[in-house]
Amino acid sequence: MRQSFTIVTPAPDLSLLTIQQLRAAAGLDDGDTSRDAELTALGVAISTDIAAACNVATDGQRPPTLRSEAVTETFWSYDKPLEMFLSRRFVSAVTAVSEQGSALTVPDYYLNADAGLLLRGQSGLPWCWRDGVVSVSYTAGFATVPPDLAAAASDFARIRLSSNSRDPLVKSESIEVPDVRSTKVDYWVGALPGATSGPVPPEIMMRLSRFTNVSIA
């Protein structure tokens, strides 16, 4: 099966965090706007990193996002599949489904919204999709960010802010004052603890498991 994926209505805001949540992650008072530009950029950056780490599909023109977007997907089927795996999960609405140019309506199809899974139906029974072109227009992603996703993003923001404020190679630092001030700094040698090949730390990725897409060969 081959398919094409197009974003019809991009998310107006890619960030998983509000500016108030970003200020809190930075340890700022709610009304402190002094770092809003920096924090806004950080919010988009970590949200995009999270979406990419969760294998969220993109059209190649816009960054991946877990925020709500309207998309259209076209499948070219050659093997009469029992189900269509949509490229985006957490589907809030299906606006159009067509099979070989003929429009389908419920109960001609059934949707598993969280899994992003579309099943064919006929006469109230499961059916297989016909070979040919199947087109699906739908909205997927979150208009309101779930608390557990926002919490993971907030902790990721704190980690990123902390790493930006110190030398990540420093293992420990001690300062002695008595008569003459002296500073001793130990540096990590080799790979840094917790370092991964991707930008999202493993402790954050563990909390994102329910938002992560499994690649279907």
Side-chain angles (χ1 to χ4, degrees):
M1 182 186 296
R2 298 180 180 178
Q3 64 195 78
S4 68
F5 177 80
T6 303
I7 297 174
V8 178
T9 307
D13 182 7
L14 298 177
S15 182
L16 297 170
L17 299 172
T18 65
I19 190 59
Q20 290 79 13
Q21 289 170 320
L22 286 162
R23 289 174 190 158
L28 302 177
D29 292 335
D30 186 58
D32 187 343
T33 63
S34 61
R35 298 176 63 184
D36 277 7
E38 170 199 353
L39 293 174
T40 297
L42 174 66
V44 172
I46 64 172
S47 298
T48 301
D49 285 345
I50 286 174
C54 289
N55 298 321
V56 175
T58 179
D59 60 0
Q61 304 297 316
R62 299 174 181 83
T65 181
L66 284 162
R67 300 302 305 270
S68 179
E69 294 189 315
V71 305
T72 294
E73 196 159 4
T74 301
F75 300 85
W76 290 270
S77 172
Y78 305 104
D79 52 2
K80 293 183 172 62
L82 295 176
E83 53 208 7
M84 295 287 183
F85 287 91
L86 302 177
S87 292
R88 294 277 182 95
R89 296 170 55 207
F90 308 105
V91 178
S92 59
V94 174
T95 53
V97 178
S98 66
E99 182 185 59
Q100 294 186 346
S102 299
L104 302 180
T105 57
V106 176
D108 294 329
Y109 65 86
Y110 302 90
L111 172 69
N112 183 325
D114 279 4
L117 189 63
L118 201 66
L119 299 96
R120 187 70 162 88
Q122 185 166 307
S123 301
L125 298 173
W127 208 251
C128 60
W129 294 92
R130 297 167 63 188
D131 287 345
V133 177
V134 175
S135 179
V136 186
S137 296
Y138 62 99
T139 300
F142 300 107
T144 300
V145 180
D148 54 341
L149 179 55
S154 292
D155 287 345
F156 185 21
R158 291 186 183 94
I159 292 171
R160 186 68 63 84
L161 287 162
S162 175
S163 65
N164 288 344
S165 65
R166 60 180 175 82
D167 184 347
L169 295 177
V170 174
K171 179 179 181 180
S172 64
E173 183 174 356
S174 59
I175 299 175
E176 299 178 6
V177 180
D179 298 321
V180 179
R181 178 186 178 94
S182 65
T183 302
K184 179 182 178 182
V185 180
D186 290 332
Y187 291 88
W188 290 106
V189 178
L192 298 179
T196 63
S197 58
V200 183
E203 62 269 24
I204 300 297
M205 282 304 306
M206 290 177 61
R207 296 163 58 187
L208 295 172
S209 58
R210 84 175 183 95
F211 305 103
T212 301
N213 298 321
V214 178
S215 298
I216 304 296

